[in-house]
Amino acid sequence: MVGKRMEKRPFSELGISDAILKAVDRLGFEEASPIQTAVIPVALQGGDVVGQSSTGSGKTAAFAIPAIERLDPARRVTQVLILCPTRELALQVAEETGKLAAFRRGVQVVPIYGGQSYDRQFRALAAGAQMVIGTPGRILDHLDRGTLVLDDLAMLILDEADRMLDMGFREDIERVLAAAPEGRQLFFFSATLPRPIRDLISRFAKNPSWIHIEAKALNAPQVDQVYYEVDRRSKLEILTRLIDLNDFRYGIIFCSTKVMVDDLDEHLHARGYATDRLHGDISQAQRNRVMAKFRKKGFEFLVATDVAARGLDVDDLEVVFNYDLPNDSEDYTHRIGRTGRAGRKGRAITFVSGREVYSLQAMIRHGGLKLRREKVPSLDQVEQARENAFFERVRAILDSRSFKANDRFIDRLLDQGYPSTDIASALIHLIQNGGLGQDAAEPEPGKAFFQPDPPAPETGTGSREAGPRPDSGKKKKASPEARRPRDPGDPVAKPAHQRPGRTGREKGYVTLCFNVGKRHGVRPADLVGKIAGVTRLPPVVVGAIDLHDRQSLVDVAAEQAGLIERKLAGVRVKGQVLKPFPAAPDPS
Ligand code: ADP
Ligand code: MG
């Protein structure tokens, strides 16, 4: 029994081949993590292994490296089988394994999972892939069909064994274990080892080495951990303050329930943050889409429950927010393990309200967590940060001279006796109050910074669908002010019922024509509800609605019009299939 080893070593001291050292180097791993340091030499000896360590500790390479080393590339038969709980994880493990095997000639890795065509899988298996990685259900299918044969299996690996059992794969796993030949090497990898897994281990493993890396290894100084005592009702406000103050652009926000996830996602989105969500009620297909998009940094903040985020392997989060307190110190450690990896400094921010502070203190004591208490930043501090960012942007534009001279316009004002500082202040006021629309504040080089006649607002620039920001990836970031909560003077922030009747369209709105009307029994509320429901935009994006007999004219926020038109096309209202299109512009 090997226990509680925490040390790391260079990969070169673990007895692995040059081919793997090269691959590891290519992956950018500088040294082996504690679980890798402990597992790899033992596994290379050929014995069974039980490896337990927290999420993000590097278990994949810990089992994949010895597996790649021990197989025989010259034999084109299945020699290694890795079982994973989900398709998502199977793909991740296959990807990392493929990279680790890149310099070992002749090694083929194939992922096998439900939902993919059998045909493609048959061909990959028939071609003699030595490493097969899949979900238990689909693997069994292939065993039953005889398209996967385990006669030459040398190594069977159960990744995330605890989760596979949670997901009801116990019988499937037992059948695969029973189908594997006697002499195979067996690995169990898991973040936790509950009773049913210990039972499986004692039934199937032969004198395994138990390697347990304490979660404390993660509690390293590379994650800066703080907590704030906040009033429950001000959580949202403080969350957005912290995001703006730190200019966070990539993180996960954990909530305790699905309802909280939905709520917070909507609120943040309404405030102009690019968010999406994951929880147990979201279909697997949708989950995969969200995860893939998040990994590509297609949006800023993922709002999620613990369970839904478990399979999500992202490693370069700037921040993890515990909007709601996790259940225990282990969940806490799982959550924050997704930031501060690969040598980068991460941030973990936890909110506690009321009596929760006692639960947190208990976690800190029993789980050995290291959190310090911080005071909630004041609005002044946030304002100061915004002002600084704005200042920097103006200065950058001045320094680069990337603006068109507006001498004629400014001369007119100067001629009328206004001092230049007042003119500048008035222009700043105009920008900060959204007087130019959001896009106008960020001029393209060579484009006039201020145009006396602002162009019609463009459509389809909603933040949610915006894709990667123009500046994403680079370190230079737009100021938080660009997405500050809209102020009350902005028409978009005004609820529909407070706006005047249809006396011509309001500024910032454009009109979409919908092919449904009174004759179809449609009421304004049906349209507002559909638009908000389908796009998940707040209902205030909808302005005045004119219902006619067979069609309706609906004013929508100009910057969301493209999105609304796209998303509503094909949706049914009162049995009618919608075909929205932009109404002809007002002659006014
Ligand atoms: P686990 O399965 O324990 O949750 P993973 O194997 O998925 O963890 O690894 C988490 C992340 O850390 C991955 O992005 C992986 O590429 C990276 N990683 C693994 N080993 C190392 C290492 N030795 N050095 C740096 N990064 C590593
Ligand atoms: Mg893993």
Side-chain angles (χ1 to χ4, degrees):
M1 166 131 177
V2 186
K4 305 190 179 179
R5 287 212 209 168
M6 308 267 268
E7 84 265 31
K8 306 175 186 178
R9 278 173 36 205
F11 279 102
S12 57
E13 289 177 15
L14 302 181
I16 57 187
S17 66
D18 288 345
I20 301 270
L21 287 177
K22 196 168 158 193
V24 159
D25 188 51
R26 176 75 63 95
L27 277 166
F29 298 176
E30 286 169 4
E31 56 184 350
S33 70
I35 186 87
Q36 292 160 359
T37 303
V39 165
I40 292 171
V42 175
L44 286 173
Q45 300 297 317
D48 290 356
V49 173
V50 178
Q52 185 190 2
S53 64
S54 54
T55 306
S57 54
K59 291 190 285 293
T60 312
F63 59 71
I65 289 175
I68 298 164
E69 293 284 28
R70 285 182 63 83
L71 62 80
D72 178 358
R75 298 181 60 220
R76 309 208 61 84
V77 289
T78 304
Q79 297 172 50
V80 177
L81 176 61
I82 304 175
L83 296 182
C84 298
T86 65
R87 165 205 152 116
E88 174 81 12
L89 284 165
L91 284 169
Q92 276 167 31
V93 169
E95 193 185 329
E96 181 148 334
T97 304
K99 288 181 183 162
L100 287 166
F103 301 102
R104 188 119 205 270
R105 276 178 176 278
V107 175
Q108 301 276 350
V109 179
V110 56
I112 297 279
Y113 49 85
Q116 196 194 29
S117 91
Y118 275 94
D119 206 41
R120 176 186 287 269
Q121 298 177 352
F122 291 150
R123 272 183 277 126
L125 290 170
Q130 296 94 345
M131 305 187 77
V132 175
I133 298 165
T135 48
R138 187 55 78 103
I139 292 290
L140 269 184
D141 270 5
H142 281 282
L143 283 178
D144 291 343
R145 287 162 188 250
T147 42
L148 174 64
V149 179
L150 300 185
D151 292 351
D152 295 284
L153 195 76
M155 201 179 271
L156 175 57
I157 300 166
L158 279 70
D159 187 21
E160 302 231 14
D162 51 352
R163 184 137 177 249
M164 287 201 283
L165 290 206
D166 286 348
M167 293 174 66
F169 283 133
R170 188 194 178 112
E171 273 176 38
D172 289 357
I173 290 171
E174 289 190 20
R175 281 185 56 203
V176 177
L177 281 164
E182 263 295 290
R184 85 281 175 275
Q185 213 175 335
L186 184 58
F187 293 174
F188 284 86
F189 278 79
S190 206
T192 59
L193 288 181
R195 171 106 225 152
I197 297 188
R198 291 174 187 273
D199 289 347
L200 277 185
I201 294 168
S202 62
R203 276 172 56 204
F204 290 96
K206 289 190 208 81
N207 192 19
S209 304
W210 292 73
I211 294 167
H212 176 207
I213 304 295
E214 296 251 302
K216 272 180 201 151
L218 255 187
N219 221 339
Q222 67 250 40
V223 185
D224 180 52
Q225 305 169 52
V226 299
Y227 73 91
Y228 294 94
E229 287 188 42
V230 298
D231 182 58
R232 195 176 298 280
R233 283 162 308 177
S234 40
K235 276 187 182 182
L236 176 65
E237 170 59 29
I238 292 167
L239 173 68
T240 55
R241 258 187 224 180
L242 288 167
I243 291 174
D244 289 352
L245 189 65
N246 294 286
D247 200 14
F248 289 131
R249 295 280 161 157
Y250 194 49
I252 300 188
I253 305 168
F254 282 102
C255 296
S256 51
T257 66
K258 296 168 195 169
V259 177
M260 284 295 310
V261 166
D262 286 343
D263 250 32
L264 182 60
D265 175 40
E266 258 150 49
H267 280 120
L268 286 173
H269 187 229
R271 287 179 174 225
Y273 300 90
T275 60
D276 215 326
R277 59 192 167 147
L278 277 185
H279 60 57
D281 281 357
I282 291 169
S283 74
Q284 186 63 41
Q286 175 64 12
R287 248 148 65 177
N288 291 343
R289 274 196 294 277
V290 172
M291 287 184 182
K293 193 167 174 196
F294 189 55
R295 269 203 298 274
K296 286 190 230 125
K297 303 203 166 81
F299 57 94
E300 299 173 306
F301 297 102
L302 179 69
V303 187
T305 57
D306 290 272
V307 177
R310 268 210 69 171
L312 179 67
D313 189 8
V314 282
D315 57 4
D316 51 353
L317 296 178
E318 288 177 290
V319 61
V320 169
F321 280 101
N322 295 309
Y323 194 77
D324 293 322
L325 201 60
N327 289 322
D328 51 37
S329 57
E330 194 162 337
D331 279 357
Y332 175 87
T333 310
H334 275 183
R335 287 180 177 186
I336 73 157
R338 295 187 177 85
T339 180
R341 291 210 203 146
R344 274 187 295 261
K345 183 110 184 151
R347 304 276 300 272
I349 297 177
T350 302
F351 289 171
V352 286
S353 51
R355 303 181 59 80
E356 281 175 357
V357 71
Y358 300 113
S359 320
L360 180 67
Q361 276 160 1
M363 277 187 226
I364 291 174
R365 263 198 315 279
H366 301 305
L369 306 181
K370 292 196 189 76
L371 284 85
R372 58 170 205 285
R373 179 169 176 236
E374 291 250 305
K375 271 178 62 187
V376 173
S378 70
L379 220 62
D380 281 351
Q381 283 169 285
V382 180
E383 279 307 324
Q384 189 62 50
R386 279 179 187 148
E387 193 183 307
N388 291 347
F390 184 64
F391 178 87
E392 287 306 326
R393 280 172 71 195
V394 173
R395 198 164 67 175
I397 292 172
L398 286 170
D399 286 351
S400 67
R401 299 213 53 83
S402 58
F403 57 91
K404 203 180 99 186
N406 285 289
D407 295 355
R408 200 175 55 80
F409 174 74
I410 292 170
D411 282 346
R412 267 175 72 191
L413 288 165
L414 288 170
D415 285 349
Q416 301 205 357
Y418 297 106
S420 51
T421 46
D422 281 5
I423 297 173
S425 296
L427 291 174
I428 291 173
H429 176 87
L430 204 55
I431 294 166
Q432 292 188 330
N433 288 286
L436 297 175
Q438 286 211 316
D439 292 344
E442 200 138 38
E444 284 158 29
K447 195 167 153 190
F449 184 53
F450 179 74
Q451 295 166 335
D453 287 317
E458 282 167 34
T459 56
T461 53
S463 61
R464 177 167 227 109
E465 292 290 305
R469 290 158 193 281
D471 60 346
S472 68
K474 300 215 185 73
K475 212 50 216 168
K476 195 197 147 291
K477 292 169 173 178
S479 92
E481 168 232 12
R483 59 176 185 201
R484 149 172 81 163
R486 298 173 185 288
D487 58 77
D490 184 334
V492 179
K494 220 186 290 174
H497 63 270
Q498 287 175 11
R499 283 191 227 112
R502 195 182 176 80
T503 54
R505 198 205 298 143
E506 274 184 87
K507 192 163 159 306
Y509 281 76
V510 296
T511 306
L512 289 179
C513 185
F514 284 80
N515 56 318
V516 289
K518 291 180 197 155
R519 165 165 307 217
H520 309 108
V522 168
R523 294 158 308 142
D526 298 326
L527 289 170
V528 178
K530 259 300 175 233
I531 293 172
V534 171
T535 60
R536 294 168 60 212
L537 294 167
V540 294
V541 299
V542 182
I545 296 181
D546 253 4
L547 278 191
H548 296 274
D549 196 34
R550 292 172 169 280
Q551 63 172 29
S552 311
L553 297 173
V554 181
D555 284 1
V556 298
E559 59 180 77
Q560 309 290 5
L563 170 69
I564 293 170
E565 188 190 333
R566 273 198 314 283
K567 290 256 163 141
L568 272 287
V571 168
R572 277 176 187 275
V573 172
K574 301 276 175 188
Q576 301 296 307
V577 178
L578 294 182
K579 292 189 201 100
F581 59 90
D586 282 350
S588 57

